[in-house]
Amino acid sequence: MTALRKYATTPVRRGLIAKIKIGQKQLGIDDDAYRQMLENRYGVRSATNLIISDLEDLLNCLKDKGFKPSRKPSRAKSAPRRAGSRPLAVQPLAKKIRALWLNLYHLGVVLDPSEEALAKYVKRMSGADALQWLDAAQADRVIKALRGWCERIGFHLPDSEAIEAIHSLRADAGMAPLKSAAGFAAKVALIKCQWEAIGGSPSGVGAWLARRAFSNNPKRLEEDPIFMDEAAADLAIEALSAALRVPGVRGMEIR
């Protein structure tokens, strides 16, 4: 096997490689995904084996994926992390995929909410090694698969009419505007689906949450999730999610 050539370090090469490493970090690409991308694109696993033109091509590739060379990297602006060590992809389609994945976790059908588990699912569905490397067609395929999974267990994302109805009801009640009407409507739909999965009576969710999620602060409770504040809705989702993961709870009548 022919040994790969490592090129002499020059200021130009050093500058390009430094920018590439910054781009890798800024985009939240872990080392395994980065090396796999190099191998797929150039047949090598290290930027030191690339010629100048390939380094420039790689840098342009990272720019196309959202890398901003003028932005100085800092801990405050690095990719956020959640439920594991893998950095989160921050592209809009990746966020949508993650939201669907977490919905399935909160409904008790996904056991591991971590980014690592999601990456494995994405790899199986699309062939991409990381969310950061999904193209539009691959992301659409993953989103459709996750939505189909949600719908099979009875969870449907609210349509524009439902979102507007919730917005109007809250406005009529004199409540403050929501940060995201669509996002909050999805939370309401999730809470109702969680409650149905548990087997609770239609009018019992408020009383159950009063005992489980809001026992220390009952003033935050509203009988209908539509009128909860956003933080209270998050607490309700977590409480119902925990209940769904208790063996034997799904489908059990709770009053």
Side-chain angles (χ1 to χ4, degrees):
M1 181 177 178
T2 304
L4 292 173
R5 179 177 178 181
K6 286 193 175 183
Y7 295 90
T9 300
T10 65
V12 173
R13 288 184 62 81
R14 189 162 52 244
L16 286 169
I17 291 173
K19 288 180 180 179
I20 287 166
K21 289 297 184 182
I22 291 170
Q24 177 192 352
K25 182 177 180 181
Q26 188 184 110
L27 294 173
I29 304 166
D30 64 34
D31 288 340
D32 288 340
Y34 171 73
R35 285 191 290 268
Q36 187 62 52
M37 185 272 291
L38 289 179
E39 187 168 23
N40 292 343
R41 194 176 182 93
Y42 307 105
V44 301
R45 292 182 67 82
S46 171
T48 60
N49 300 123
L50 296 177
I51 60 176
I52 294 292
S53 61
D54 285 341
L55 289 171
E56 291 172 340
D57 178 72
L58 176 56
L59 182 59
N60 287 331
C61 175
L62 295 176
K63 289 177 181 178
D64 290 342
K65 294 181 181 298
F67 170 45
K68 306 293 184 184
S70 60
R71 181 184 298 172
K72 294 182 180 180
S74 67
R75 289 186 178 273
K77 293 187 178 181
S78 61
R81 297 172 182 264
R82 183 188 189 280
S85 59
R86 180 184 286 263
L88 297 186
V90 296
Q91 296 88 342
L93 289 176
K95 289 181 179 180
K96 185 176 291 188
I97 289 169
R98 186 178 301 107
L100 289 166
W101 181 255
L102 292 176
N103 284 339
L104 288 163
Y105 169 73
H106 287 309
L107 286 164
V109 295
V110 163
L111 300 180
D112 184 353
S114 71
E115 199 72 2
E116 288 84 353
L118 175 56
K120 290 178 182 178
Y121 175 82
V122 168
K123 170 74 171 178
R124 188 166 68 251
M125 296 300 298
S126 69
D129 291 290
L131 268 71
Q132 290 90 342
W133 298 117
L134 287 172
D135 60 30
Q138 290 172 321
D140 185 61
R141 185 158 63 249
V142 175
I143 288 169
K144 285 181 178 178
L146 288 171
R147 279 183 173 170
W149 194 356
C150 287
E151 290 171 1
R152 286 193 297 275
I153 62 172
F155 175 64
H156 301 269
L157 289 171
D159 57 21
S160 57
E161 185 175 338
I163 294 168
E164 180 58 33
I166 290 175
H167 174 75
S168 297
L169 286 168
R170 290 175 64 90
D172 291 344
M175 302 186 73
L178 295 161
K179 292 180 181 178
S180 169
F184 183 79
K187 290 180 181 181
V188 171
L190 179 58
I191 290 169
K192 291 182 176 180
C193 188
Q194 287 176 306
W195 185 243
E196 290 174 4
I198 287 176
S201 59
S203 61
V205 63
W208 187 88
L209 288 171
R211 296 193 303 272
R212 299 295 186 92
F214 303 103
S215 58
N216 295 327
N217 193 356
K219 291 183 179 180
R220 298 187 65 185
L221 176 68
E222 294 289 347
E223 185 68 29
D224 191 327
I226 288 174
F227 299 108
M228 290 180 180
D229 63 49
E230 295 184 73
D234 289 336
L235 285 174
I237 289 168
E238 292 292 343
L240 288 162
S241 177
L244 277 168
R245 290 193 294 277
V246 174
V249 166
R250 179 175 287 273
M252 181 177 69
E253 185 69 21
I254 297 179
R255 299 185 185 279

